[in-house]
Amino acid sequence: MPLIRSWVASANDPETAFPLNNLPYGVFSVGDDAPRCGVAIGDMILDMAAVEEAGLVDLGEPALFVMPFWNEVMELGPEAWADLRARLTALLAEGAAGEAELQPMLVPMAEADLHLPFVVAEYTDFYAGRHHATNVGTMFRGAENALPPNWLHIPIGYNGRASSVVVSGTDIRRPWGQLKGPNDDLPRFAPSARFDLELEMGAIVGRASDGPITVTEADDAIFGYVLLNDWSARDIQAWEYQPLGPFQAKATATTISPWIVTKAALEPFRVKAPAREFALLDHLKDAGPMLYDIALEVTLAPEGQAPSTIARTNYREMYYSAAQQLAHHSTAGCPMSVGDLLGSGTISGPEKDQRGSLLELSWGGKEPLTLETGETRSFLADGDTLALSGHAQGDGYRIGFGPCSGTLLPALDDPYAR
Ligand code: CA
């Protein structure tokens, strides 16, 4: 599919993240205005509350877009999602009759504050990138035991905390935690010295279920995707993770990008999962191509300095799709809700510069990374700004995700000071 031209000139730039082919959904405010729903188009945001009030979009329910979240639109289901997308495409296409009426409803993105685009119902994070799992397993347990025996049969996950999810641009405070290094006799309470990122994609559940669903049903239930950084304290993780998995190591924050890129926008970029070493059981079998060709990049900027690219990889490197993760999540009867967020797991490619965490890039701190500024990093330093970016490359256009960034603030002197 080629670029769909828009009367919003900046949306026709081949480099823009937000051509008319994309139409991602966010929540924005300007000044002291109340946050409300918007759609990104080029370097502008279409104020959906204004569009709704003018009667230009009608999904059969009142006041959907004055809300500071997209959950109510998701609740309407896939038919309404398709109707909305078709309507917006018609309104914003080059030559559309309503241009003069819509023009005042566009807000420059540069003037807007972006908020979390949906209410995160619950958050689950998976561990479904094979290169990442192999790298981390090798470091933690040795090459012989790198992949746990279940790994090639189920997408492993843990239940995270929706309350810890924040939007891009939110500062992250270095956490304190209980640490015990391999040479320490006893644990101690101290700021994490091995604070890290995890490059992931987040899938947003748009359709509730109550009981097991198939991979195809799961794919149909996904509303869209965001970039996701699962900030991770490796020293807290190493001490706490057995036997129940990560807990405080992942509790500080998880940053997501502010725009929900819909599954519809990503349709042209579907790709198959990699070859299976063991056939998956029937309820998890691939039901067509359910990964996407999305180029991903991580940059690290030390305080006051230019960013260096530290990793480049692709979402197609995943072993399990979000649809398989969602299907697996439902197998034992877990009800899934509109607004559930599923982290893909860290996305690493086979090459050294394709690794989606500093833990892997610096090989547990043994091989510090040299930035373009000449500084080295094994883990994040105070003041570092970490940014994820991603896009699918179409024919003359890009489906971009917008920024997913955060700056690491120093730990408090004493987190229990009152
Ligand atoms: Ca993770």
Side-chain angles (χ1 to χ4, degrees), residues 174-217:
R174 182 187 294 275
W176 285 63
Q178 194 174 117
L179 318 175
K180 182 183 172 301
N183 302 320
D184 297 338
D185 291 334
L186 289 168
R188 64 207 161 84
F189 187 65
S192 168
R194 291 161 73 96
F195 200 66
D196 198 359
L197 76 134
E198 288 193 341
L199 164 63
E200 304 192 24
M201 304 272 312
I204 300 156
V205 177
R207 214 174 189 186
S209 56
D210 190 2
I213 59 174
T214 67
V215 173
T216 300
E217 287 165 345

Side-chain angles (χ1 to χ4, degrees), residues 219-296:
D219 193 57
D220 289 344
I222 294 170
F223 181 68
Y225 291 83
V226 288
L227 301 174
L228 184 151
N229 180 359
D230 175 25
W231 301 93
S232 300
R234 302 301 179 191
D235 37 11
I236 298 175
Q237 185 178 359
W239 170 230
E240 76 176 2
Y241 89 106
Q242 286 178 320
L244 287 186
F247 187 46
Q248 293 307 292
K250 308 279 192 173
T252 301
T254 297
T255 301
I256 64 171
S257 51
W259 296 104
I260 305 172
V261 173
T262 62
K263 188 177 55 180
L266 292 169
E267 281 303 327
F269 307 99
R270 280 185 184 262
V271 288
K272 281 189 202 157
R276 304 292 174 192
E277 195 163 317
F278 295 98
L280 295 171
L281 293 183
D282 283 346
H283 69 290
L284 291 177
K285 272 203 164 58
D286 296 286
M290 290 188 175
L291 290 174
Y292 300 95
D293 181 358
I294 299 169
L296 299 164

Side-chain angles (χ1 to χ4, degrees), residues 10 41 152 182 194 216 258 324 340 359 366 370 376:
S10 57
I41 179 80
L152 293 166
R194 291 161 73 96
T216 300
Q324 285 164 320
D340 278 353
L359 176 68
K366 293 196 178 81
T370 303
T376 59

Side-chain angles (χ1 to χ4, degrees), residues 98-187:
E99 177 179 342
E101 192 178 3
L102 276 173
Q103 190 83 53
M105 302 173 191
L106 290 172
V107 175
M109 201 177 288
E111 291 173 15
D113 292 316
L114 297 174
H115 307 269
L116 274 181
F118 64 106
V119 177
V120 182
E122 299 200 54
Y123 166 49
T124 305
D125 194 28
F126 288 87
Y127 186 57
R130 184 168 186 171
H131 302 293
H132 171 72
T134 303
N135 287 338
V136 173
T138 301
M139 277 181 267
F140 278 45
R141 290 180 296 274
E144 296 297 300
N145 303 307
L147 278 188
N150 54 7
W151 201 93
L152 293 166
H153 302 279
I154 47 172
I156 301 175
Y158 65 93
N159 288 310
R161 292 284 298 178
S163 58
S164 66
V165 178
V166 298
V167 74
S168 176
T170 306
D171 289 339
I172 308 299
R173 176 72 67 182
R174 182 187 294 275
W176 285 63
Q178 194 174 117
L179 318 175
K180 182 183 172 301
N183 302 320
D184 297 338
D185 291 334
L186 289 168

